[in-house]
Amino acid sequence: MTAFDAAAGRNQDLESSDRQHTLGHAAGGLASKRIVTGYGFWIFLLSDIIMFSAFFATYAVLVGETAGGPSGRELFNLRNVGIETACLLVSSFTCGLASIGARAHRDIWFYGAMAATFLLGAAFLSIELGEFAGMVARGAGPTRSAFLSAFFTLVGCHGLHITAGLLWLLTMMAQVFAKGYRADILRRILCFSLFWHALDIVWVALFTVVYLMGAAR
């Protein structure tokens, strides 16, 4: 081997070593899919919260515009709203238990907690629909005044999110039943859990701003 060949070999070894080091550094710097998915879903949730913020602002402006119709104090039943709040808060707890059960691959824990979350969410939704039906029956539908338009839009939007969450929950149970606790399904369960907890936070704001402050007026 000539001196030139030896030098060329050393250069190739150095280039190969540098390439491996760069690839290793890049691989180490990449976040896991779980983190990337969670981060992306948080961005979606923030956009959703911005939408709710706009609805809250609209409601705050129009809350006094009853056009001679009933106000929140005459319409709201705080006992039912309290039961709704309890259902949603407990469902958030059971949703967290379901996430832990999924990570532990415990079927009874996961399915039991998801079933409890579904029942509590369905109870919340049925009470809310009963409230809407009662208000419409009393002539206090969304077209009666600007206040009621804002109320039905804000609270109804949250109810639609709950409905979507219940459908998503059933889908997650079916996917775990059919495919098991695969990594991609666990990521979807993580996103569902974030979604459900975000709805809980929005409801706490609704309970305070719409119902408690509305009943106090």
Side-chain angles (χ1 to χ4, degrees), residues 29-178:
L30 291 176
S32 69
K33 283 188 177 180
R34 178 183 169 85
I35 293 175
V36 172
T37 303
Y39 179 73
F41 199 74
W42 267 112
I43 294 176
F44 162 74
L45 290 178
L46 288 174
S47 69
D48 224 27
I49 289 173
I50 290 171
M51 180 190 68
F52 272 110
S53 299
F55 286 152
F56 269 108
T58 304
Y59 176 83
V61 171
L62 299 177
V63 68
E65 305 298 328
T66 59
S71 64
R73 186 173 186 175
E74 300 167 80
L75 293 171
F76 299 154
N77 183 334
L78 289 185
R79 177 179 170 275
N80 286 344
V81 177
I83 295 173
E84 285 181 274
T85 304
C87 286
L88 209 56
L89 291 178
V90 176
S91 77
S92 191
F93 174 71
T94 56
C95 181
L97 291 180
S99 298
I100 296 172
R103 284 200 295 272
H105 296 192
R106 299 288 297 272
D107 283 345
I108 294 178
W109 195 345
F110 171 73
Y111 288 116
M114 288 290 265
T117 304
F118 180 86
L119 291 176
L120 290 165
F124 169 88
L125 203 58
S126 64
I127 295 172
E128 187 169 85
L129 290 175
E131 178 191 29
F132 286 177
M135 291 171 70
V136 172
R138 293 169 60 184
T143 58
R144 177 62 183 81
S145 66
F147 155 65
L148 287 169
S149 296
F151 169 80
F152 275 94
T153 302
L154 175 58
V155 180
C157 184
H158 180 268
L160 286 175
H161 278 67
I162 292 289
T163 304
L166 291 178
L167 294 175
W168 191 357
L169 183 153
L170 293 176
T171 304
M172 286 294 90
M173 292 179 74
Q175 288 195 358
V176 170
F177 179 77

